[in-house]
Amino acid sequence: MRTWKVGDVMTRDVVSVTENAPYRELVDLLVEKRISAVPVVDDVGRVTGVVSEADLLRKIEYGGDEQPRIFERRRRRDERAKASARTACGLMSSPPVVALASMPIPDAARLMDDNHVKRLPVTDDSGRLVGIASRGDLLRTYLRSDDDIRAEVRTGVLRTYLIDEADGVTVEVDDGLVKLSGQVERRSSAELAERLTREVVGVVGVTSTLSYEFDDRRVDIPKEPFAAF
């Protein structure tokens, strides 16, 4: 069964800037490209941070009031400091939240959610920028056709993990919803088929009416013979 990675869906033609990119250039870039954030890279292409619209807006939010206050929270002090920054190095959020190209898509989705970000710069194992993945990119995996999903369930799940029982299973797919029916030999096989089918990329939900010949999950403990003393 194929495991989809971030590298399979990311946008490879990604815009980036260097740490010395000036404020005005960053604003022009985001407006021109109609993007809300841009990764910042060093001289060898490693991602060192991300500049977002929110980072750039600090200059407007704190305009004329950049001096820190005595009892101000750390977050507010950092935001105020960005108001006086003139280049990407001072404006960017760092360390950046990035995804490896080899990261499974569900892991990338959780990373986005945990960090409340809408996109992830994608790097290779050396930390160099190779693409960018947005929420929309991750959701594209759910646009697979029903025929593609059915084929992967049959070949990647049934014929791989239920080799001798695959012919007894019928697979139907309608708008990403999979229905498994038929009969297998063991209860564990029925449960495995349903669980692995749920992990197939593009599957929205699974309904299983698979029956089985015997319950191999049930363990009968033999009774000890009564011993008289």
Side-chain angles (χ1 to χ4, degrees):
M1 183 172 64
R2 178 182 179 185
T3 300
W4 285 56
K5 309 291 187 182
V6 173
D8 295 324
V9 299
M10 69 182 184
T11 299
R12 297 181 182 277
D13 184 16
V14 56
V15 177
S16 64
V17 298
T18 60
E19 295 180 349
N20 60 0
Y23 179 91
R24 183 56 188 271
E25 179 183 321
L26 295 167
V27 174
D28 290 344
L29 182 63
L30 266 59
V31 172
E32 178 187 351
K33 299 295 183 179
R34 296 183 179 181
I35 55 179
S36 59
V38 61
V40 183
V41 297
D42 62 16
D43 293 339
V44 295
R46 289 189 297 260
V47 182
T48 58
V50 174
V51 174
S52 67
E53 289 175 329
D55 295 323
L56 297 176
L57 286 171
R58 302 303 177 212
K59 191 172 288 294
I60 298 174
E61 181 179 356
Y62 295 101
D65 187 24
E66 294 89 357
Q67 292 301 314
R69 299 172 182 176
I70 298 176
F71 298 109
E72 195 166 43
R73 292 183 178 180
R74 172 65 180 275
R75 178 181 174 184
R76 298 288 289 181
R77 291 174 67 89
D78 291 344
E79 291 176 351
R80 197 180 296 276
K82 288 185 179 183
S84 60
R86 298 182 179 180
T87 63
C89 184
L91 291 160
M92 67 185 185
S93 297
S94 182
V97 181
V98 302
L100 288 171
S102 57
M103 177 180 285
I105 285 179
D107 292 348
R110 282 190 289 272
L111 185 63
M112 278 187 182
D113 186 59
D114 290 345
N115 291 276
H116 308 290
V117 295
K118 297 179 180 179
R119 61 192 49 76
L120 295 168
V122 184
T123 69
D124 59 18
D125 293 338
S126 300
R128 293 184 176 87
L129 183 68
V130 294
I132 195 162
S134 67
R135 292 174 178 175
D137 292 328
L138 302 189
L139 288 172
R140 277 207 328 251
T141 59
Y142 284 91
L143 299 179
R144 300 181 71 190
S145 70
D146 289 344
D147 288 341
D148 284 347
I149 294 172
R150 184 185 300 107
E152 184 162 347
V153 172
R154 291 220 60 89
T155 60
V157 175
L158 300 178
R159 299 198 182 283
T160 301
Y161 296 96
L162 281 74
I163 301 174
D164 298 329
E165 301 168 276
D167 291 338
V169 181
T170 299
V171 182
E172 300 174 77
V173 187
D174 183 15
D175 285 339
L177 296 172
V178 181
K179 180 180 178 181
L180 302 176
S181 58
Q183 187 178 53
V184 292
E185 294 180 7
R186 299 174 294 276
R187 175 182 173 181
S188 60
S189 297
E191 294 175 349
L192 180 65
E194 181 178 356
R195 178 171 61 81
L196 292 181
T197 297
R198 292 185 185 279
E199 296 177 7
V200 171
V201 172
V203 171
V204 177
V206 178
T207 300
S208 176
T209 58
L210 285 172
S211 59
Y212 46 86
E213 295 181 14
F214 65 94
D215 187 351
D216 58 336
R217 295 293 195 190
R218 179 178 177 181
V219 179
D220 292 323
I221 301 176
K223 296 180 179 179
E224 292 292 337
F226 178 74
F229 293 96

